[in-house]
Amino acid sequence: MPFSVKEIADRTGGEVRGDGRVLLTGIASLSEAGPGQISFFADPRFKGLLKTTQASAILIAEPSAEFEGSQILVRHPALAYARVAALFAPPPREVGVSGRAFISESAVLGDKASIYPLAYIGEQAVLGDGVIVFPGVFIGDRVRIGNNTVLYPNVTVMNDCVIGAEVIIHAGTVIGSDGFGFVRDGSVNVKIPQLGTVQIDDQVEIGANNCIDRAALGKTWIKRGVKTDNLVQIAHNVVIGEDTLLVAQAALGGSVSVGNQVVIGGQAAIRDHLRVEDLAMIGSQSGVAKSLGKGEIVSGSPAIPHRLWLKTSALIPQLPNLLARIRRLEKRLDELEP
């Protein structure tokens, strides 16, 4: 569906400079955009592309004489880009309910639910309006899924888990697998039955191949607006606060509690039973071994304050020279001693 420059400006709270009637049918980068497409400019490194881009319009913070097409002035071009891209993104295809899916007689499907072939929906599962379930998805007994949630191929949702509305779960993710709970009896590991569940609130997006373990008792809880990258591990009884971000290969130990708007970098690991307060930031490959306060920023393994880690890491390449200097000084001191 095409949109005029004026329509896009209205949707992004922008101001039009140039012809607002130009119709746009897609969005692309400055280097790849062609006529009929819109692009955005947010990084001064790409200023030279404003002269050469074939885009018909751009999203930009300040007017530019370098670009001859229509300009939409917005406060935050990257954010405006995200909203405009959503207008042109094709929605998942609705297919109705396939006769080649297995749907238990006691399951309840909402209006306009789309169930692709080879999906499985268990006993007493309840799916809301507009839910889309792709091929190979397993939905266990008594699972509840809110309106307009999308489960991409080969997602597994084990028994009794609860998923909210407008959730996106990417391919291969497993929700509600057993938490890693064992007790030693001499040399034998005795399994602790995992009797809890998983609750995922509204507007969460879970990346591909995540593992979100069910609680030993109670629930593992992913709150509203959380976004996870691919290959994230969330252990049993973890609670993750609203609008938190977890980057690829992050791992959270059992019973970790994470506040709101926390950012956890790629390959970071948090030890079990710790608390990470609101607005904290954890750098990539950090090993967090103690709880973090509100707004605290850490890096390294074991994790230390981020600025200290930057200073420390900068010293590492200098260590051989520093060691050589110390040895020379020690030798001179030895020579000076009577």
Side-chain angles (χ1 to χ4, degrees):
M1 175 180 175
F3 296 89
S4 70
V5 168
K6 177 65 166 58
E7 287 175 319
I8 288 180
D10 291 343
R11 289 171 181 260
T12 58
E15 176 187 346
V16 176
R17 294 291 178 92
D19 189 351
R21 298 168 298 176
V22 173
L23 290 180
L24 303 168
T25 58
I27 189 166
S29 66
L30 286 170
S31 61
E32 297 177 343
Q37 292 184 310
I38 187 171
S39 190
F40 76 104
F41 174 71
D43 190 331
R45 292 178 299 173
F46 303 112
K47 184 176 181 180
L49 293 175
L50 291 174
K51 289 183 178 181
T52 59
T53 183
Q54 298 299 303
S56 295
I58 58 169
L59 299 157
I60 193 167
E62 299 289 342
S64 173
E66 308 286 336
F67 180 74
E68 297 180 353
S70 300
Q71 301 180 32
I72 301 175
L73 308 184
V74 291
R75 292 170 57 185
H76 195 327
L79 178 59
Y81 155 73
R83 289 176 173 157
V84 173
L87 298 177
F88 293 110
R93 185 164 59 93
E94 298 179 2
V95 297
V97 179
S98 171
R100 292 193 291 151
F102 177 87
I103 303 173
S104 299
E105 292 183 1
S106 59
V108 177
L109 304 183
D111 293 339
K112 297 183 179 180
S114 289
I115 312 299
Y116 277 69
L118 305 182
Y120 176 98
I121 300 176
E123 299 287 343
Q124 301 176 46
V126 178
L127 279 62
D129 299 341
V131 168
I132 299 177
V133 177
F134 276 81
V137 170
F138 174 91
I139 297 173
D141 298 344
R142 300 172 299 280
V143 167
R144 289 182 288 148
I145 299 177
N147 297 340
N148 301 313
T149 284
V150 179
L151 282 70
Y152 282 103
N154 300 319
V155 167
T156 298
V157 185
M158 302 298 288
N159 295 349
D160 301 301
C161 294
V162 178
I163 299 173
E166 301 177 9
V167 173
I168 300 171
I169 304 175
H170 289 280
T173 282
V174 178
I175 295 170
S177 50
D178 275 1
F180 190 68
F182 298 89
V183 175
R184 298 281 286 186
D185 182 8
S187 61
V188 177
N189 295 305
V190 178
K191 182 178 178 64
I192 301 171
Q194 304 293 289
L195 305 178
T197 185
V198 175
Q199 177 178 320
I200 297 177
D201 289 349
D202 299 345
Q203 299 170 356
V204 169
E205 182 162 355
I206 305 295
N209 294 315
N210 281 207
C211 294
I212 303 177
D213 294 345
R214 71 173 55 248
L217 297 169
K219 65 186 178 184
T220 302
W221 188 5
I222 314 299
K223 295 186 180 181
R224 185 203 57 78
V226 169
K227 315 295 183 187
T228 76
D229 200 351
N230 302 331
L231 298 169
V232 169
Q233 159 66 20
I234 298 172
H236 59 85
N237 292 93
V238 167
V239 177
I240 301 179
E242 296 182 355
D243 296 309
T244 284
L245 300 175
L246 291 87
V247 184
Q249 298 184 17
L252 278 60
S255 299
V256 165
S257 179
V258 177
N260 300 330
Q261 300 181 51
V262 172
V263 178
I264 301 174
Q267 296 186 335
I270 303 176
R271 201 195 71 191
D272 57 316
H273 296 277
L274 297 184
R275 169 71 188 173
V276 178
E277 300 289 348
D278 297 349
L279 301 171
M281 299 180 68
I282 299 171
S284 298
Q285 295 189 327
S286 295
V288 179
K290 63 179 183 178
S291 293
L292 302 179
K294 182 176 180 179
E296 193 168 351
I297 303 174
V298 298
S299 295
S301 185
I304 58 177
H306 180 64
R307 290 186 180 277
L308 177 59
W309 178 82
L310 289 175
K311 293 177 181 178
T312 303
S313 60
L315 286 173
I316 291 173
Q318 302 178 44
L319 290 178
N321 289 335
L322 290 173
L323 179 60
R325 288 178 61 190
I326 290 171
R327 286 177 173 168
R328 287 198 299 270
L329 290 170
E330 287 178 336
K331 183 177 180 180
R332 291 180 62 186
L333 285 173
D334 288 342
E335 292 172 350
L336 291 173
E337 290 180 357

